[in-house]
């Protein structure tokens, strides 16, 4: 079973790019164009790596993470923020503690794939390690 | 002299009175008998033997009368003597003089003599009273008054004593006339008023002096008054100046307040602008990086999908340029962020040796690609105060530069030394070196040693970022190079957190080459 990666970004170009890279890297990308859609997907039982854009209209990345924690949807998921700003801006906020890392835009395919592979290693099901799968 | 005391002056007067009465009785009775005998002789004729009695009686009468006359004369002489003694002892001068114009003194008392310093009253006799006058005018006035009214009353005149001393005399004189009204003599009294006159004179002098002093005092008082008025004017002037000063001070205080308010306003404005700038940089970063993401992420795949060699070359060109843009955007935004104060920077005690090792680990593949051999000689630990991520970036930049500017296999040595509470961390390469002309500009923004090369691998911002980071750490970055082909040494100077940490071995090849401080 391939590792599922939920990409949350309001920019369609980014969504497509990340989806393409992840698919090529052996992951199963799921895309959401905003916080609400992300929450909906999680409520439907998504488990995996979440790449969350910070600057989004209506509900930004931090607010979405807060909702995820609030609705107790964090279990079985690893969250990393996708950021195009230099300063992530949530240092000291307790919600930053549930975030494993910051992926800074722009990134090359190799960079992103390596990072996501690392994040996937923290998922509670080691049998889902994509490397193990790709070795099959 | 009191009248009652006459008795004492004439002793035995009572006895003489009784004797006088006896004398008068004898005389009376003798005259009565004589008369009896005369009447008898006329009636009865010659007296006969009674004549002898009559003669005897006549003898008694004559002797009694002689005795009475003698007594009267001696009494008059005594009175005269008493009078003269009294006059002589009077405390005022008394004299008698001729009534004529000569004024010759007939008699004078002792007081007069003493007054004019004559040896005795007799010495004055036959001198003229007029010769004693010192002022001829006074003498004439005296004579005129005496001739006119017959007396002079307390005329105050100046005399010369016989020894020539000047004396003040109050003269009272009267002409004594006979029954026919002819002037018989002149009597007068003299009072020495010299002490009084002198006292008066002194008093006059004193009064004069007092008057003069009073005038001087008045003048002094006037001067003082003028000085006081001048002083008052000065005080008024000073008060007005003080008022002006107070007013100016108040105005200044007002201005100060306004200025402070303005400064506060400006400061607030600056902070607002800084905040706006931060927001702008954040937004710019977002807006630049987001569209770059598909380009950076997808172009390598596009290149793989293109089979035509020319197409692949074109895409490779795009990838290079996109990569350059990415570096440029990231470096520019980082530099802009570093421009703000260091408040947002993490300041913690970190082991610089671990940071160096971590950077070397991360850059392993790059170092291998460039065939760079790295030697480190650092104490364990090497504690400094700073932001580990920022220092990691500086070291990463320096390593990248060392790789980039070394042709073929090379060597990098990383050493440190402690001096004056500071850590000097040097990164030395044996690369192409730097021309002395380029050294002063090496840390300038967008400065490239060879701008004509259009080197897409360098943004010209890396060393500027390094310098900013060092400045924010309160330190500096130095560069040394002996010239082209002689290698380059970059040295970070940072505050040492632990003074007692192990002292590192001295850096080999201590720089004797040109050293430049990046900043102060």
């Amino acid at each position: 079973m391939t590792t599922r990666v939920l990409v949350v970004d309001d920019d369609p170009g980014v969504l497509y790019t990340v989806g393409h890279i992840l698919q090529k890297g052996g992951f199963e990308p799921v895309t959401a164009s905003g916080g609400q859609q992300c929450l909906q997907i999680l409520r439907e039982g998504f488990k995996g790596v979440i790449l969350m854009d910070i600057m989004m209209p209506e509900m930004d990345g931090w607010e979405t993470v807060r909702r995820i924690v609030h609705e107790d949807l964090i279990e079985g998921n690893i969250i990393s923020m996708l950021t195009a700003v230099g300063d992530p801006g949530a240092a000291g906020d307790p919600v930053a503690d549930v975030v494993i890392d910051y992926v800074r835009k722009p990134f090359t395919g190799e960079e992103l794939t390596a990072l996501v592979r690392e994040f996937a290693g923290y998922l509670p099901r080691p049998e889902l390690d994509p490397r193990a799968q790709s070795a099959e | 002299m009191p009248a009652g005391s006459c008795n004492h002056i004439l002793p035995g007067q009572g006895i003489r009175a009784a004797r006088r009465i006896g004398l008068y009785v004898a005389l009376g009775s003798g005259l009565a008998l004589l008369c009896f005998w005369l009447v008898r002789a006329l009636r009865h004729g010659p007296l006969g033997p009674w004549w002898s009695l009559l003669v005897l009686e006549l003898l008694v009468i004559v002797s009694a009368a002689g005795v009475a006359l003698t007594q009267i004369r001696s009494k008059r002489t005594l009175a005269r003597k008493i009078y003269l003694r009294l006059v002589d002892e009077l405390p005022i001068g008394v004299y008698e003089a001729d009534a004529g114009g000569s004024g010759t003194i007939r008699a004078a008392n002792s007081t007069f003599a003493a007054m004019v310093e004559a040896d005795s009253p007799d010495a004055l006799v036959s001198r003229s009273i007029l010769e004693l006058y010192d002022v001829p005018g006074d003498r004439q006035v005296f004579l005129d008054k005496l001739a006119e009214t017959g007396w002079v009353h307390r005329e105050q005149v100046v005399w010369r004593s016989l020894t020539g001393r000047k004396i003040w005399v109050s003269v009272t004189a009267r002409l004594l006339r006979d029954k026919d009204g002819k002037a018989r003599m002149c009597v007068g009294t003299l009072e020495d008023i010299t002490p009084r006159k002198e006292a008066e004179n002194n008093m006059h002098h004193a009064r004069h002096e007092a008057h003069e002093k009073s005038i001087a005092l008045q003048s002094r008082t006037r001067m003082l008054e003028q000085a006081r008025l001048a002083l008052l004017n000065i005080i008024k002037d000073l008060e007005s100046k003080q008022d002006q000063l107070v007013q100016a001070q108040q105005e200044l205080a007002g201005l100060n307040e306004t200025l402070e308010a303005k400064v506060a306003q400006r400061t607030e404005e600056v902070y607002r602008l800084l905040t706006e700038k931060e927001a702008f940089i954040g937004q710019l970063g977002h807006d630049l990086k987001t569209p770059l993401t598909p380009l950076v992420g997808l172009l390598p795949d596009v290149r793989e999908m293109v089979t035509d060699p020319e197409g692949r070359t074109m895409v490779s060109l795009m990838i290079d340029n996109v990569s350059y843009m990415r570096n440029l955007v990231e470096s520019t935004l980082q530099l802009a962020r570093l421009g703000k104060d260091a408040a947002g920077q993490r300041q913690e005690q970190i082991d610089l040796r671990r940071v160096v090792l971590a950077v070397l680990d991360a850059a392993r593949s790059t170092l291998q690609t460039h065939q760079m051999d790295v030697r480190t000689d650092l104490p364990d630990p090497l504690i400094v105060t700073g932001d580990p991520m920022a220092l990691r970036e500086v070291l990463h930049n320096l390593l990248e530069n060392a790789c980039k500017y070394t042709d073929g296999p090379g060597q990098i040595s990383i050493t440190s030394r402690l001096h004056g509470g500071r850590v000097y961390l040097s990164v030395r390469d044996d690369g192409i070196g730097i021309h002395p002309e380029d050294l002063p500009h090496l840390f300038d923004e967008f400065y490239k040693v060879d701008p004509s090369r259009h080197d897409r691998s360098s943004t010209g911002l890396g060393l500027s970022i390094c310098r900013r980071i060092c400045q924010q750490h309160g330190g500096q970055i130095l560069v040394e190079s002996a010239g082209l082909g002689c290698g380059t040494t970059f040295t970070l100077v940072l505050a040492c957190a632990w003074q007692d940490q192990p002292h590192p071995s001295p850096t080999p090849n201590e720089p004797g080459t040109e050293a430049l401080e990046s900043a102060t």
Side-chain angles (χ1 to χ4, degrees), chain A residues 6 8 32 34-40 42-43 50 52-54 56-71 73-74 79 81 95 98:
Chain A
L6 173 57
V8 189
Q36 291 293 359
Q37 200 183 347
C38 164
L39 287 172
Q40 189 56 42
L42 286 176
R43 285 184 204 120
I50 303 169
M52 178 79 68
D53 185 30
I54 293 177
M56 291 188 292
E58 292 172 19
M59 189 192 294
D60 73 4
W62 290 117
E63 182 55 29
T64 312
V65 173
R66 238 172 254 127
R67 296 276 182 92
I68 291 169
V69 173
H70 183 68
E71 293 187 26
L73 298 168
I74 191 76
I79 303 177
M81 305 307 278
V95 81
V98 304

Side-chain angles (χ1 to χ4, degrees), chain A residues 111-127:
Chain A
E111 287 165 355
L112 183 65
T113 309
L115 280 172
V116 173
R117 194 165 288 147
E118 187 189 330
F119 300 153
Y122 295 106
L123 284 170
R125 284 168 293 177
E127 67 273 17

Side-chain angles (χ1 to χ4, degrees), chain B residues 22-33:
Chain B
L23 193 65
Y24 290 154
V25 168
L27 204 58
S29 60
L31 284 174
L33 275 174

Side-chain angles (χ1 to χ4, degrees), chain B residues 182-413:
Chain B
K182 190 184 174 190
R184 203 157 47 86
M185 63 187 240
C186 170
V187 293
T189 59
L190 307 162
E191 198 181 341
D192 186 356
I193 55 170
T194 308
R196 201 183 85 199
K197 276 289 169 187
E198 279 175 357
E200 273 178 11
N201 255 346
N202 287 344
M203 201 185 289
H204 180 73
H205 279 305
R207 199 175 292 161
H208 183 68
E209 272 180 25
H211 181 65
E212 280 185 347
K213 278 184 183 167
S214 154
I215 287 172
L217 262 178
Q218 278 175 1
S219 142
R220 186 75 60 83
T221 308
R222 262 199 302 276
M223 278 166 63
L224 277 174
E225 181 63 18
Q226 282 172 357
R228 195 177 69 90
L229 285 176
L231 208 62
L232 278 178
N233 276 338
I234 289 171
I235 288 172
K236 214 178 283 179
D237 204 30
L238 274 176
E239 279 174 352
S240 127
K241 290 236 168 91
Q242 199 180 4
D243 283 352
Q244 286 176 6
L245 260 179
V246 168
Q247 200 179 342
Q249 210 172 5
Q250 281 169 351
E251 279 175 13
L252 208 62
L255 278 177
N256 258 346
E257 275 174 21
T258 315
L259 203 64
E260 276 173 18
K262 273 186 184 167
V263 165
Q265 198 182 342
R266 286 284 162 82
T267 310
E268 204 175 318
E269 182 86 349
V270 165
Y271 276 114
R272 192 180 61 77
L273 286 174
L274 276 176
T275 313
E276 274 181 12
K277 180 193 147 200
E278 292 308 312
F280 173 74
I281 288 170
Q283 188 62 44
L284 186 69
H286 182 267
D287 292 353
L288 285 172
K289 286 173 180 177
T290 302
L292 271 175
T293 307
L295 291 172
V296 173
L298 296 180
L299 275 176
D301 288 1
V302 172
R303 182 168 56 185
E304 282 177 20
M305 291 158 74
V306 174
T307 50
D308 176 33
E310 199 182 340
R312 286 177 74 93
T313 308
M314 288 160 72
V315 176
S316 290
L317 186 64
M318 286 181 198
I319 289 172
D320 279 354
N321 279 279
V322 165
S323 172
Y324 175 66
M325 273 177 70
R326 174 190 175 180
N327 288 338
L328 200 58
V329 166
E330 284 183 345
S331 299
T332 308
L333 290 172
Q334 190 182 7
L335 200 62
R337 274 200 308 277
L338 286 169
K340 65 180 176 180
D341 57 27
Q345 211 175 32
R346 288 163 67 192
Q347 289 289 323
E348 52 191 78
Q349 291 194 351
I350 52 171
D351 183 358
L352 196 57
R353 183 172 175 275
R354 282 171 171 272
V355 176
V356 170
L357 294 179
V359 172
L360 286 174
D361 198 39
R364 191 183 305 276
S365 63
T366 313
L367 292 167
Q368 281 173 356
T369 309
H370 287 83
Q371 295 177 286
M372 298 300 283
D373 176 29
V374 182
R375 287 193 302 127
T376 59
D377 183 9
L378 301 170
D380 185 11
L382 178 58
I383 307 296
V384 295
T385 304
D387 180 349
M389 293 307 292
L391 292 176
R392 194 172 165 154
E393 172 141 14
V394 173
L395 288 165
H396 180 78
N397 265 330
L398 295 181
L399 279 180
E400 270 204 336
N401 276 346
C403 293
K404 203 184 294 179
Y405 298 111
T406 303
D407 294 332
Q411 198 171 56
I412 298 171
S413 62

Side-chain angles (χ1 to χ4, degrees), chain B residues 453-464:
Chain B
R453 280 200 296 180
H454 300 294
D455 181 6
R456 290 294 185 211
S457 66
S458 169
T459 58
L461 289 172
L463 287 174
S464 304

Side-chain angles (χ1 to χ4, degrees), chain B residues 476-498:
Chain B
Q476 52 188 349
I477 185 166
L478 313 172
V479 61
E480 303 156 44
S481 178
L484 290 176
C486 299
T488 308
T489 304
F490 285 95
T491 304
L492 299 185
V493 185
L494 297 168
C496 176
W498 285 1

